[in-house]
Amino acid sequence: MGTELLAPLDLAFWHLESDAHPMHLGALAVFDPVPGTTPLHVLDLLSTRAAAIPRLRMCVRDVLLPVGGAAWTVDKDFDVHRHVRRVVVDDGDFMAGARRLAGELMEQPLGRGLPPWQMYLIGGADDGPFAVLVKLHHALADGMRAVAIGAGIFDEIAAVTTARSAARRRPAVPPRSWLPDPREMAGMALGRIGEVGRALGVGASVVRAGRLDLRTTTAFTAPSSGTRRLATADLDATALQGIRRAEGGTANDILLAVVAGALRRWMGERGEALPGADPRALVPVSRRRPGGAATGNRLSAYLLDLPVGAADPRERLRAVRAAMDRNKAAGPLKGAGAVAVLADQLHPLAHRFGAPLAANAARVLFDLLVTSVPLPRSALSLGGCPLSALYPMAPLARGQSLAVALSTYGGRVHVGLVADGKALPDLDRLASAVKEEFDELRALVTGWVAAPVS
């Protein structure tokens, strides 16, 4: 792997970052211990496997052409021990301590001169559970690519990757003229015209969707303090499918409705009046095609008004379903939520000098991020220790205080909530509200009754 220019959207994420708004994705993977596996063994395994992932050896360097551009290039002084570290949990409650540490580590921007990623082995007692926090800069990958890159640390993926690498023999590729084929030039020109036309349509949608009534009183749109807090929730994936069979729609529709209900419940407990207009969520959508480019970001998004004003959980679900059906009918390349498409049409200089303006514009379009991250369905382990949960974490946009990410693994939906630590000191309560709203919807739809607490 040599030098590779950053795609426009990757460059946008690279320049959107500030000290108070680091632009890295994260995941907290929790493992059950097995006898004989020590922290030092796991740390060595993490280091060895991370060093074997080519993408994690790449750092960003400025280039002369295109002006304002940057490229991924191999770090000739790469040292994996700069990126893989061990931290110890002192709390009696391991998970509480792991969440606290993960929040503090997510506050810290990744170093610019090195490959932009970190892994932390978070452990307590040597024979107890442990976790691995993975941080990858958003310029390096979107959610799907981040999973593919990070999966290289697991026993099952590492074994397959090693076997494929040993068996791979690339056939010689004949040299190609630097002059493009005239038919390719015509195709590229037509494609470019189509892309520009689509971008103009998205730009018009962005202007129409922009809001002048910026509400600054709600907690999840409070000014940034630069601090981060992490909370988690676990939902029953089998119950989720039961709700889906009864009510229709998608699993994502149900989870979005649960988030809306949790926000309503949480705001009520805080004594906050419900907003005059429903909070708007940005819901990322992958544009990645099977067999397409393996690197960079391929994203669009939908905008969704979360129906916190609706008191009935089923009414909230039906409102979400109807809104998402409209979004899908329009497609991921239309509407204001497809603002990421605009980044693909901008010159590198526009990203370099326009990033502060673009960062502030996020608040005009949406209030919080809600994203789903797909995970492998097969069981995963690290050093023989089974993975028990994986909580994804999304970055916070400027002017916003809450991002919600969800993933399904091992029969559970794992919810990771990242918040500004000062704006949402009661984030744990919001995480509890997610679980309570899910249980309420489950009971209404399926007649399920929670077991009494002993």
Side-chain angles (χ1 to χ4, degrees), residues 163-181:
R164 286 178 177 172
S165 298
R168 185 181 296 123
R169 295 291 184 269
R170 293 186 179 180
V173 179
R176 180 179 178 180
S177 170
W178 61 272
L179 290 171
D181 185 282

Side-chain angles (χ1 to χ4, degrees), residues 182-361:
R183 291 168 296 181
E184 290 184 3
M185 292 181 64
M188 291 169 61
L190 290 172
R192 185 66 176 172
I193 291 171
E195 289 173 354
V196 171
R198 183 167 61 238
L200 290 174
V202 173
S205 297
V206 169
V207 172
R208 289 194 297 269
R211 300 170 302 180
L212 298 178
D213 60 328
L214 299 184
R215 299 177 294 278
T216 58
T217 56
T218 57
F220 48 87
T221 56
S224 173
S225 68
T227 60
R228 292 292 181 271
R229 184 180 295 270
L230 169 67
T232 61
D234 294 87
L235 311 177
D236 188 324
T238 301
L240 177 66
Q241 293 305 319
I243 297 171
R244 181 183 179 185
R245 286 191 295 271
E247 288 290 317
T250 68
N252 201 46
D253 293 341
I254 296 167
L255 294 172
L256 287 166
V258 167
V259 171
L263 289 173
R264 175 187 173 88
R265 181 184 296 254
W266 174 72
M267 285 188 285
E269 291 177 354
R270 282 174 136 239
E272 291 186 18
L274 293 177
D278 288 331
R280 182 178 292 172
L282 185 77
V283 183
V285 179
S286 176
R287 295 166 54 204
R288 196 172 298 282
R289 296 178 179 177
T295 58
N297 284 269
R298 298 290 296 165
L299 288 173
S300 184
Y302 297 137
L303 291 179
L304 172 70
D305 290 336
L306 295 172
V308 300
D312 182 77
R314 283 176 294 193
E315 182 183 346
R316 288 195 292 269
L317 174 54
R318 290 161 189 164
V320 166
R321 281 184 54 195
M324 290 299 287
D325 285 347
R326 290 192 295 271
N327 277 327
K328 293 169 188 174
L333 298 182
K334 295 182 180 179
V339 65
V341 175
L342 296 176
D344 285 331
Q345 315 305 321
L346 297 179
H347 190 277
L349 279 175
H351 292 301
R352 186 176 292 270
F353 296 111
L357 180 62
N360 290 324

Side-chain angles (χ1 to χ4, degrees), residues 76-156:
K76 296 179 180 179
D77 299 318
F78 177 77
D79 181 357
V80 72
H81 299 100
R82 295 175 176 173
H83 301 269
V84 180
R85 302 172 185 172
R86 182 188 178 193
V87 289
V88 178
V89 173
D90 294 327
D91 303 53
D93 183 335
F94 171 74
M95 275 307 301
R99 286 192 294 265
R100 176 184 56 79
L101 272 175
E104 293 173 358
L105 293 169
M106 287 294 287
E107 293 176 10
Q108 304 169 12
L110 294 162
R112 287 258 160 172
L114 299 172
W117 64 275
Q118 292 281 349
M119 291 185 189
Y120 297 90
L121 173 61
I122 300 174
D126 285 352
D127 58 349
F130 64 91
V132 174
L133 172 65
V134 180
K135 292 168 53 175
L136 296 173
H137 199 284
H138 212 330
L140 186 66
D142 54 27
M144 291 184 68
R145 280 300 299 158
V147 170
I149 293 172
I153 69 171
F154 294 113
D155 299 338
E156 297 76 10

